Amino acid sequence: MHVDLRPLERGDLGAANRVLRDAFGAMLGEDTLGDTDPLGTRLAAGHVRGIGAFLSGVLVGSALVTRWGSVGFVGPLSVEPALWGRGIGSRLLGAVGGILDGWGVTHRGLFTFAHSPRHHALYQHFGYWPRFLTALMSSEIPAGLPRGTGWSVLSAQADGRAALAACAELAEAVHPGLDLTAEIAALQAQQLGDVVLVGDPARPDAFAICHDGPGTEAGAGKAYVKFGAARPGDHHAFAALVRSCRGHAAAVGARLLVVGVNTARHDAYRHLGEAGFRTDVAGVTMHHGNAAGYDRPESYVLDDWR
């Protein structure tokens, strides 16, 4: 069997989405993607690259890789279920690993199914090791929930440059070189949602990059935090960020707020449970070289590497 690898292009998205849904459906027993668009929105962003695997010219697998400054993560990676075990996933992982090498990231990882030894073995072969669970959590947003105070959104700022610079500085405090500037730029360019800013917009105490509604990574009736952070050790700012994201969800008419948190960030995870969030899916993050990255007890970070 000869499989060709080449960069994933916009014209490949229809086939890539079908394979992704088939693969995830085969693993989980249901379509968990709904009306979200995790491939199209990412492939349109400058900080994301994709590789496709083609058998006789037909796409049978794909993998994306995302760069957040010094941090890079792989995913989603999917292969046509009928071709599992044929080495296609290994070739895709090797190809995106080359992209990460070229970017020069200092921390890399991925999210995978906690219950799948097949996936763990594949990724361990490439130097990724399972660490703590990542909980994908949600909270219902009651009708008429007050918007709340003490926060704003980036789109409402007359000049957002100071806020963007402050978000970059805050991310640097979380982990050396971590930078969400390109992620925010992609959100703005594609009008996927907004950035929640807690406190002074020119120097926020915390921020969150939120997708809202269908055609994004959220889905209909949902707001989704792609990344959010308060300064390390600042519990009060993190609590305010969670309240503000709920307020943002209410403001955009969402019925559900979805977040991800690694359980190594113990206080952040515990706070979400106490704030009424429930765990819908438990996955595991695997880190290259078994490095902790920013998954530390003092980290108040929300993210999702799916």
Side-chain angles (χ1 to χ4, degrees):
M1 183 176 68
H2 180 70
V3 174
D4 295 312
L5 300 184
R6 66 166 171 79
L8 199 64
E9 300 175 351
R10 298 292 298 179
D12 303 319
L13 280 173
N17 271 305
R18 179 191 60 77
V19 171
L20 178 67
R21 290 176 185 274
D22 287 350
F24 278 47
M27 276 296 304
L28 302 174
E30 61 178 323
D31 179 9
T32 60
L33 298 176
D35 57 3
T36 64
D37 185 11
L39 295 185
T41 54
R42 296 189 200 186
L43 201 60
H47 64 296
V48 180
R49 296 269 301 276
I51 298 291
F54 297 82
L55 177 61
S56 299
V58 177
L59 186 139
V60 294
S62 69
L64 300 189
V65 62
T66 299
R67 182 181 185 182
W68 288 345
S70 64
V71 176
F73 63 91
V74 178
L77 186 155
S78 61
V79 175
E80 185 66 51
L83 297 173
W84 287 356
R86 307 290 291 274
I88 298 172
S90 292
R91 292 197 60 198
L92 285 168
L93 194 56
V96 293
I99 295 173
L100 289 169
D101 290 341
W103 282 342
V105 299
T106 57
H107 181 61
R108 63 180 73 181
L110 53 88
F111 173 100
T112 192
F113 302 108
H115 65 288
S116 177
R118 175 199 295 265
H119 287 85
H120 304 167
L122 168 63
Y123 298 132
Q124 283 172 192
H125 181 72
F126 285 85
Y128 295 89
W129 295 93
R131 292 184 58 85
F132 285 76
L133 294 175
T134 287
L136 305 179
M137 309 179 79
S138 64
S139 173
E140 293 185 0
I141 305 299
L145 180 74
R147 180 186 184 280
T149 60
W151 65 276
S152 58
V153 289
L154 185 60
S155 63
Q157 308 308 312
D159 182 357
R161 288 174 295 180
L164 281 172
C167 289
E169 186 271 331
L170 196 158
E172 174 74 27
V174 169
H175 182 79
L178 178 65
D179 189 349
L180 281 298
T181 303
E183 191 71 50
I184 294 172
L187 179 100
Q188 294 175 316
Q190 299 178 62
Q191 299 182 326
L192 302 174
D194 218 325
V195 180
V196 171
L197 306 169
V198 176
D200 181 357
R203 196 178 187 280
D205 300 315
F207 73 97
I209 302 169
C210 298
H211 286 221
D212 304 321
T216 72
E217 294 187 47
K222 299 177 184 178
Y224 161 70
V225 178
K226 179 74 180 264
F227 180 91
R231 295 183 186 279
D234 194 339
H235 176 91
H236 294 294
F238 181 73
L241 179 66
V242 174
R243 290 193 302 270
S244 300
C245 288
R246 285 175 55 82
H248 169 73
V252 299
R255 302 186 302 274
L256 203 69
L257 174 64
V258 179
V259 305
V261 63
N262 190 273
T263 57
R265 310 165 199 157
H266 176 73
D267 197 50
Y269 170 64
R270 183 172 179 173
H271 177 81
L272 289 169
E274 293 172 348
F277 284 76
R278 67 177 186 274
T279 298
D280 300 308
V281 176
V284 63
T285 49
M286 301 183 68
H287 295 197
H288 198 266
N290 200 35
Y294 52 84
D295 287 346
R296 302 183 301 272
E298 69 273 18
S299 292
Y300 284 101
V301 175
L302 302 172
D303 67 356
D304 179 0
W305 285 355
R306 282 181 294 174

